[in-house]
Amino acid sequence: MATLAPSPIHVRPFDAPLGADIEGVDLQRLDDAGFAAIKQAWLARKVLRLRGQDIDDDALADFSRRFGNLDRSPISTTGKLYQPTRPEVLVISNIIVDGVAIGGLGNGESIWHTDMSYNPVPPDASVLYGIEVPEGHGDTWFCDMEAALAALPEALRQRIATLSCLHDSTRNSAGELRAGFKESYAPEDQPGAVHPLIRTHPETGRKSLFLGRRRNAHVVGLPLAESQALLDELWSYAGRPEFTWVQKWRQGDVVIWDNRCVMHRRDEFDQGLRRLMHRTQIQGSKPF
Ligand code: OGA
Ligand code: MN
C-alpha cells in the first residue's frame, strides 16, 4: 500500500509588500522539507501566517526552535514571568484574574516597535499564536522596513549611513514601565541598546531602516533637538500604508515575523473583550 504523501504546502502572498499565508501545514506534524519551505517563504515575505493551528506551548516552542534557540521573554511590568515554568513563552493578554493581569500589553494600543531591540542582541523573530481572539478587534499591523529605507531620499539615507540610535528599554510598546526602571532619565543616562540606523539582514543581505521605537530614542552624538528632528523625519517613512499589511486575527492563527526587517503595532480594543496569545522569541545576532 502506498504511504500518504504529505499535503503540498502553498505560499499565498498577500496583496501587500510583505506577508503570506502558508496553507497545507499542520504544525503538529511538520517535517524538514515542510520547514525548509516555510523558512524560504519567510525570508522572502518577512511575515507568515498559518491559520487553523491547534498547538500547546510545547508544540509552539518546538516549531519556534526550528528557527533557532529561544530567548527568554521580556521583563514585565512586575518583574514576574507570566508562566514561571516556561520562561521562553510570553503571555500577551488583557485578561485579569483575581485582580492580576495574566499577560502583558493589556488592551491599549501597542505602538510601532521592533521586539526587544533595546537589548544588545535582539531576537531574530517572534512567533505569536492566537489562542482566544475577539475577531475584528486588536488587529496587528506590520511594516516593511526595507521598503521604508528604499523610500528615503538619497541625501537622508547617506546622512544616516554611519549613525546609530539608542533604543529605550524602560517601557514596553504599550507605554508601561518595566520592572526595575525609573519614571524618567536624563537623555545621556537613558537605558537601552545602541544600534545602527541602517541594518543589514544577515541572511538575505538586504538593508532596512532600524528604528526600534520612538519613545526616548536618541541619535548618538547629536544634540537633542537635532536628534528629535532627524528621528521625526525618519519615522514619517515608517508605517506608511503602502508599506504595511494588517493581520486580522482568528483563533488558531500562528504569525511569525522577521524582527530584523519588520516593525509591528497593535490597535487598542475594548477591555470588555477577551484576548489571549502566547509568544516565543528566537535568539538573534548583533545588528550590523
Ligand atoms: C508582540 C506584540 C501584538 C499583539 O507579541 O510582540 O507586539 O497583537 N503583540 O498583541
Ligand atoms: Mn511586539
Side-chain angles (χ1 to χ4, degrees):
M1 226 174 74
T3 51
L4 274 178
S7 63
I9 293 180
H10 289 296
V11 181
R12 293 199 197 284
F14 301 126
D15 183 17
L18 75 171
D21 261 328
I22 298 291
E23 294 167 358
V25 169
D26 174 354
L27 286 182
Q28 309 234 45
R29 49 185 75 222
L30 179 66
D31 61 14
D32 288 347
F35 176 70
I38 289 177
K39 178 82 194 272
Q40 193 186 359
W42 180 64
L43 289 175
R45 296 299 299 172
K46 304 183 178 86
V47 188
L48 297 181
R49 176 175 68 190
L50 294 85
R51 299 215 113 141
Q53 302 300 318
D54 182 10
I55 52 175
D56 59 15
D57 281 342
D58 285 336
L60 175 64
D62 286 349
F63 169 61
S64 305
R65 228 178 267 114
R66 296 181 93 135
F67 290 84
N69 291 331
L70 303 186
D71 268 338
R72 284 173 68 94
S73 53
I75 308 169
S76 67
T77 55
T78 60
K80 293 201 182 81
L81 288 163
Y82 294 111
Q83 296 198 105
T85 56
R86 308 271 341 199
E88 75 281 28
V89 177
L90 171 66
V91 180
I92 306 243
S93 185
N94 68 318
I95 299 170
I96 294 175
V97 175
D98 297 333
V100 179
I102 65 163
L105 295 186
N107 69 311
E109 180 187 354
S110 146
I111 57 165
W112 284 115
H113 66 282
T114 298
D115 285 333
M116 298 163 78
S117 69
Y118 48 82
N119 287 338
V121 180
D124 276 355
S126 303
V127 186
L128 189 57
Y129 174 44
I131 298 169
E132 195 176 339
V133 294
E135 286 192 17
H137 305 269
D139 296 346
T140 309
W141 298 72
F142 294 90
C143 179
D144 181 346
M145 297 307 285
E146 290 173 9
L149 178 67
L152 296 189
E154 187 52 31
L156 182 55
R157 186 185 169 122
Q158 279 185 10
R159 181 171 176 220
I160 64 167
T162 54
L163 293 178
S164 294
C165 183
L166 177 87
H167 296 226
D168 169 45
S169 59
T170 64
R171 287 172 193 273
N172 65 22
S173 60
E176 302 159 332
L177 201 63
R178 297 181 202 279
F181 291 104
K182 295 191 296 187
E183 277 293 332
S184 65
Y185 293 83
E188 62 275 18
D189 295 331
Q190 191 69 40
V194 170
H195 300 298
L197 276 168
I198 298 181
R199 166 167 201 191
T200 306
H201 194 293
E203 292 187 82
T204 67
R206 295 192 296 254
K207 291 183 188 298
S208 59
L209 183 59
F210 190 26
L211 298 176
R213 58 195 71 200
R214 181 65 184 87
R215 191 181 282 115
N216 298 327
H218 189 98
V219 181
V220 176
L222 294 190
L224 189 56
E226 210 179 309
S227 164
Q228 297 288 49
L230 177 57
L231 287 173
D232 286 345
E233 190 176 4
L234 293 173
W235 274 93
S236 76
Y237 290 85
R240 289 189 179 179
E242 63 269 31
F243 305 149
T244 64
W245 167 69
V246 57
Q247 153 68 347
K248 294 179 175 294
W249 289 93
R250 281 193 214 152
Q251 184 182 327
D253 283 353
V254 170
V255 174
I256 170 160
W257 59 89
D258 193 332
N259 208 37
R260 297 165 289 189
C261 53
V262 163
M263 282 203 304
H264 58 284
R265 61 169 288 281
R266 184 196 71 195
D267 290 338
E268 66 178 315
F269 58 96
D270 196 298
Q271 182 52 21
L273 301 164
R274 285 169 61 93
R275 190 175 187 270
L276 172 64
M277 349 266 290
H278 280 190
R279 188 191 89 178
T280 55
Q281 43 283 311
I282 294 141
Q283 207 172 80
S285 52
K286 193 170 167 48
F288 61 91

